[in-house]
Amino acid sequence: MKWLLRAAVAAAIVGALWGLSYVLHEHVIEYVVRIAMLCGMNIILAVGLNLINGTTGQFSIGHAGFMAVGAYTTAYVCTQLAPEVAGVLGTGFLPDAVVFNVGLIAGAALAAATGVVVGVPSLRLKGDYLAIVTLGFGEIIRLLLTNAEFLGGATGFSGDNPTGLSPYTNVFWVFLWVVIVIVVIRNVTFSQTGRSLEAISEDEIAAEAMGTPTTRLKVVAFTLSAAAAGIAGGLFAHLQGSVRPDDFKFDRSIDMIVMIIVGGLGSITGAVIGGIFVGVTLELMRDLSEYRLVLYSLLLVIIMLVRPQGVLGKRELSFSRLFPKKAAKPARAAGDEKP
Amino acid sequence: MRRKTVVVAAAIVSLVASLAFTFGCKNGGGSQNGPGGSGGGNQTGEIVIGHYASMTGDTAHFGQDTDKAVRLAVEEVNAQGGIKGRRVKLVTLDTRGDATEAANAVTRLIDVEHVSAIIGEVASTLSLAGGRVAQRRGIPMVSPSSTNPAVTAIGNNVFRVCFIDPFQGTVMAKFARENLRLTKVAIIKDVRSDYSIGLAENFRRAFTQRGGQVVAEQSYSAGDTDFSAQLTAIRDSGAEAIFVPGYYGEVGAIAVTKQRLGINVPLLGGDGWDAPDLFRIGGAALEGSFYSNHFAPDAASDRARRFISAFQRRFGSEPTGLGALGYDAAMVLFEAMRRAQSVTPATIREGLTATRNFEGVTGRITINAQRDADKSAVVLRIRGGRAVYETTVQP
């Protein structure tokens, strides 16, 4: 019975996303829809990065590199695959869906594989050292792409069509992947593995003394986080129409860190809020022209002064918290965190 | 604690709601007349044109120079009574030099500002990102100074008023071979920039075709500060000149390093050099170098002189080549609007396609079948801390 219920919930979510996608694309101006999709990608990036930077407490500052791997892989796989699939399935929604999702999964897989390659040697390091390694990795990826002729070098990769990569990315796919990423990361966070990750974040030596395989768990978290960044990269590639090495500069990694710090390190819902914050703030301040960047930085400073732990701190927003049931109250009150 | 959560939730909801209310729904503002005209549908009131440019970020200089000149063009046309009796309104949006923001800005210009036509960008990669949106939405776009051939290949809505990379590379090759009579030249290119790679490629082809020899080819990445390794390699190659098709920041640093290493050959370059900061960074090390540009302030036509003095009166500084191109882009656009029966994106596009021998600040502009401008280039020589006119090279 349980799986039947779950299937029903999943179907309901897909249906709701389908409806949302239809309404947004048909009735709302493209500008708002575009920003919404960019916010969705930010959410995927932030929730993914939060698993390693927030929950596990290992500071990665090179996640733009994984996003780049995902973006280029998805773009490349889709351009290679599209004619083949079109030969079998023709054109329309189904072949596009197949091509795009195969591309996205390939992007996530390669990003994850890169995560393992980077993670295994570097996650034995602690603290600042890991940050430097990931920083270096992000730059290496970007420079490799800049010099990769078959991926377009500095010009970037946009397929053979002068109008760029096929615009597969729409609200439905973005937010379907948002839901998938959040569910997976949430399940990991609130599982035994998640508790061990938190233990590593609290005190790595103590965790190790208790028999927690710290390096292995860190690599697992890092890999999942890289896969999420890869998905976001693939979605980004087919929204933007091209991918360039310069789309994945160090600034992009910093943006991701801003998202999780603003939202609250270690909180999934916080990461969602942070992703949306970074996605909309600069666009909302368009009327200030050149001063918007000044104000944006000022806003970040103010947030850090007023709430150094981020908007949510380590807490999660949940429906049961917003609409508390009488019965659940005592248990929850006891579980409320102490600052 | 719980109250705080509710406050946070309320804040998020109100943020989303304010977003929705600010921008509204599709059918709110502009008329929906199908593909080829979601903006500028009404035929009375102001004509809105958009400009997207890097007003901040690494290449802020480019965006600001261009925007000043575009603003000057708009002010002039309004002073003359506008177009068909309608005032022209300019909306400028910043791209921060970022491709994602460039596409955001163009989408906003079309959806929120309802522009009839768009001017932008300077950097080719940003024009590609913005041009794809403009092409899909059927709004004509004129790039003032993106020289990568791929930009106008996007489709029939994307135009430019400058020459393209192959031409600039060819110009300098021709100049080095025929005017300077050089046989051995080295190249240092920026591998992170399409612009630099495009120029280097076309220079090499044209120079070897004319019997010259490229004796060394080195590369750097934008943002590098140390060029001694590359220049040492070039010193030993016997090159008589070094072609540096990069942007002014690195070019200045390369010139300084070259002088320090005692390499006494001139540098050659393209329009990426064209910024006052070039002289601030490179100083005396640049003396005797040459670069190709769209326009030479000291050998200007009457048309150009009028523009220069108007620009100086308005902004108190001399315009750069990029500024001149921004002005021409706006003027070509206005000319196309004047020619059109009514001001709609479709008729503006037709007007732009029909541009022939337009007397611009940067020369006579004819839009060809590829929507590129056919025009000549000038070569400038650096003498006494200024760029002075050397010669004109025909296409």
Side-chain angles (χ1 to χ4, degrees):
Chain A
M1 269 325 271
K2 206 170 177 187
W3 65 268
L4 207 70
L5 185 72
R6 284 189 176 170
V9 170
I13 289 175
V14 171
L17 285 176
W18 188 263
L20 178 75
S21 180
Y22 177 81
V23 169
L24 284 179
H25 283 290
E26 291 297 315
H27 295 290
V28 177
I29 56 174
E30 189 185 317
Y31 176 59
V32 174
V33 178
R34 187 182 153 84
I35 303 300
M37 286 194 275
L38 288 172
C39 282
M41 289 164 212
N42 283 353
I43 292 172
I44 295 176
L45 289 169
V47 170
L49 185 64
N50 183 51
L51 185 69
I52 187 79
N53 282 23
T55 312
T56 321
Q58 307 296 313
F59 225 67
S60 164
I61 53 175
H63 253 54
F66 298 117
M67 192 183 172
V69 171
Y72 271 85
T73 309
T74 306
Y76 191 76
V77 167
C78 286
T79 8
Q80 298 296 317
L81 202 61
E84 310 287 326
V85 171
V88 181
L89 293 172
T91 51
F93 173 75
L94 185 68
D96 282 359
V98 170
V99 170
F100 190 34
N101 286 289
V102 169
L104 284 173
I105 291 165
L110 200 62
T114 322
V116 175
V117 172
V118 178
V120 168
S122 60
L123 284 165
R124 293 177 192 282
L125 303 172
K126 293 181 175 74
D128 307 345
Y129 303 107
L130 176 69
I132 299 297
V133 169
T134 53
L135 167 69
F137 154 76
E139 288 299 290
I140 289 171
I141 289 288
R142 197 168 54 79
L143 291 173
L144 283 178
L145 291 172
T146 304
N147 291 293
E149 293 289 336
F150 77 108
L151 290 173
T155 320
F157 183 75
S158 53
D160 304 322
N161 199 333
T163 50
L165 302 167
S166 313
Y168 293 132
T169 304
N170 59 27
V171 171
F172 177 70
W173 292 121
V174 172
F175 285 93
L176 186 66
W177 280 102
V178 167
V179 170
I180 293 171
V181 168
I182 291 182
V183 167
V184 169
I185 302 268
R186 183 199 162 278
N187 287 353
V188 171
T189 308
F190 295 109
S191 68
Q192 193 194 343
T193 313
R195 295 297 167 222
S196 306
L197 293 176
E198 219 168 304
I200 294 172
S201 149
E202 295 293 333
D203 188 333
E204 196 166 338
I205 297 167
E208 201 150 13
M210 296 301 289
T212 308
T214 52
T215 301
R216 210 191 67 197
L217 282 176
K218 282 196 281 184
V219 172
V220 168
F222 198 66
T223 306
L224 268 175
S225 172
I231 296 273
L235 292 166
F236 171 78
H238 285 272
L239 175 68
Q240 187 69 8
S242 73
V243 277
R244 309 177 305 141
D246 273 8
D247 290 330
F248 309 102
K249 280 197 284 201
F250 182 54
D251 311 24
R252 172 87 62 177
S253 302
I254 295 294
D255 270 352
M256 293 181 210
I257 291 170
V258 169
M259 291 172 206
I260 54 176
I261 290 182
V262 163
L265 264 181
S267 163
I268 294 175
T269 36
V272 173
I273 292 173
I276 296 172
F277 172 84
V278 170
V280 300
T281 315
L282 275 177
E283 287 297 328
L284 278 181
M285 298 194 294
R286 278 268 181 213
D287 291 335
L288 300 169
S289 61
E290 289 98 293
Y291 299 104
R292 66 196 177 115
L293 288 172
V294 181
L295 203 79
Y296 177 68
S297 316
L298 200 67
L299 202 58
L300 291 181
V301 172
I302 292 171
I303 291 176
M304 283 302 100
L305 287 178
V306 177
R307 276 194 78 84
Q309 71 275 46
V311 174
L312 288 187
K314 277 198 113 155
R315 283 177 308 151
E316 296 290 350
L317 272 185
S318 66
F319 287 111
S320 51
R321 192 186 282 278
L322 284 176
F323 310 105
K325 287 184 206 135
K326 276 264 152 57
K329 222 173 180 178
R332 201 155 296 280
D336 241 343
E337 93 298 336
K338 290 138 198 98
Chain B
M1 269 301 158
R2 187 163 299 130
R3 178 166 296 167
K4 242 183 190 169
T5 318
V6 174
V7 170
V8 171
I12 298 166
V13 170
S14 57
L15 187 71
V16 173
S18 70
L19 242 187
F21 279 113
T22 316
F23 303 119
C25 289
K26 234 179 196 171
N27 304 324
S31 54
Q32 288 281 300
N33 25 16
S38 49
N42 62 342
Q43 286 301 316
T44 50
E46 287 176 323
I47 299 173
V48 188
I49 62 166
H51 179 212
Y52 68 110
S54 52
M55 305 297 286
T56 60
D58 293 344
T59 50
H61 208 299
F62 293 169
Q64 290 174 3
D65 275 4
T66 310
D67 192 56
K68 278 180 191 165
V70 172
R71 239 184 308 150
L72 181 68
V74 170
E75 283 164 12
E76 282 179 9
V77 82
N78 281 337
Q80 294 160 11
I83 291 167
K84 296 182 201 300
R86 296 165 63 187
R87 282 182 61 79
V88 177
K89 184 185 160 201
L90 173 70
V91 181
T92 300
L93 294 183
D94 177 29
T95 62
R96 277 200 297 156
D98 177 84
T100 316
E101 283 232 2
N104 287 357
V106 172
T107 315
R108 186 184 165 104
L109 284 173
I110 296 170
D111 280 338
V112 181
E113 312 290 350
H114 305 293
V115 296
S116 307
I118 295 169
I119 296 172
E121 233 277 0
V122 173
S124 291
T125 42
L126 303 189
S127 290
L128 281 167
R132 289 199 183 101
V133 178
Q135 173 64 26
R136 187 159 41 78
R137 303 294 300 275
I139 302 292
M141 176 183 116
V142 183
S143 167
S145 41
S146 285
T147 49
N148 188 313
V151 172
T152 47
I154 291 174
N156 64 345
N157 282 302
V158 186
F159 300 81
R160 78 177 112 213
V161 294
C162 57
F163 42 64
I164 55 176
D165 287 345
F167 179 59
Q168 245 190 115
T170 313
V171 163
M172 280 324 276
K174 218 167 149 184
F175 175 76
R177 193 74 194 93
E178 286 162 16
N179 297 50
L180 299 178
R181 307 201 174 281
L182 304 178
T183 49
K184 291 178 181 171
V185 170
I187 298 176
I188 308 185
K189 64 181 179 199
D190 175 358
V191 282
R192 266 183 58 192
S193 140
D194 321 335
Y195 162 81
S196 192
I197 293 168
L199 255 71
E201 224 164 76
N202 288 291
F203 179 89
R204 192 192 321 108
R205 192 179 310 136
F207 194 66
T208 44
Q209 255 171 23
R210 287 174 171 73
Q213 193 191 347
V214 174
V215 289
E217 196 156 350
Q218 296 286 328
S219 46
Y220 66 92
S221 281
D224 285 0
T225 48
D226 179 28
F227 305 96
S228 29
Q230 292 96 320
L231 285 165
T232 310
I234 286 172
R235 182 171 57 183
D236 304 333
S237 71
E240 298 161 312
I242 308 170
F243 184 55
V244 195
Y247 290 113
Y248 58 90
E250 287 81 13
V251 171
I254 287 173
V256 171
T257 315
K258 175 192 77 107
Q259 198 183 37
R260 189 164 50 74
L261 291 175
I263 309 172
N264 278 323
V265 300
L267 297 181
L268 311 173
D271 62 341
W273 287 29
D274 190 37
D277 279 356
L278 176 72
F279 304 107
R280 197 176 54 73
I281 303 166
L286 286 160
E287 286 297 304
S289 295
F290 300 90
Y291 68 95
S292 59
N293 204 358
H294 306 269
F295 130 108
D298 58 328
S301 60
D302 288 349
R303 181 85 191 77
R305 255 194 291 279
R306 274 206 305 281
F307 162 69
I308 294 167
S309 64
F311 192 95
Q312 270 170 335
R313 252 198 326 270
R314 177 71 174 76
F315 301 107
S317 63
E318 204 167 84
T320 57
L322 292 176
L325 285 168
Y327 185 83
D328 275 354
M331 285 304 183
V332 164
L333 188 59
F334 297 150
E335 186 61 26
M337 287 177 176
R338 282 200 194 93
R339 260 204 302 277
Q341 291 277 316
S342 56
V343 182
T344 67
T347 53
I348 294 171
R349 180 171 58 235
E350 274 166 37
L352 285 169
T353 314
T355 303
R356 295 282 174 276
N357 292 321
F358 176 81
E359 203 59 56
V361 169
T362 58
R364 205 167 276 151
I365 297 168
T366 293
I367 301 289
N368 65 22
Q370 284 77 46
R371 295 171 299 281
D372 298 327
D374 282 333
K375 61 201 275 198
S376 56
V378 295
V379 175
L380 304 177
R381 177 199 208 112
I382 295 172
R383 186 186 291 151
R386 286 174 54 85
V388 295
Y389 174 78
E390 179 78 13
T391 182
T392 302
V393 181
Q394 295 299 333

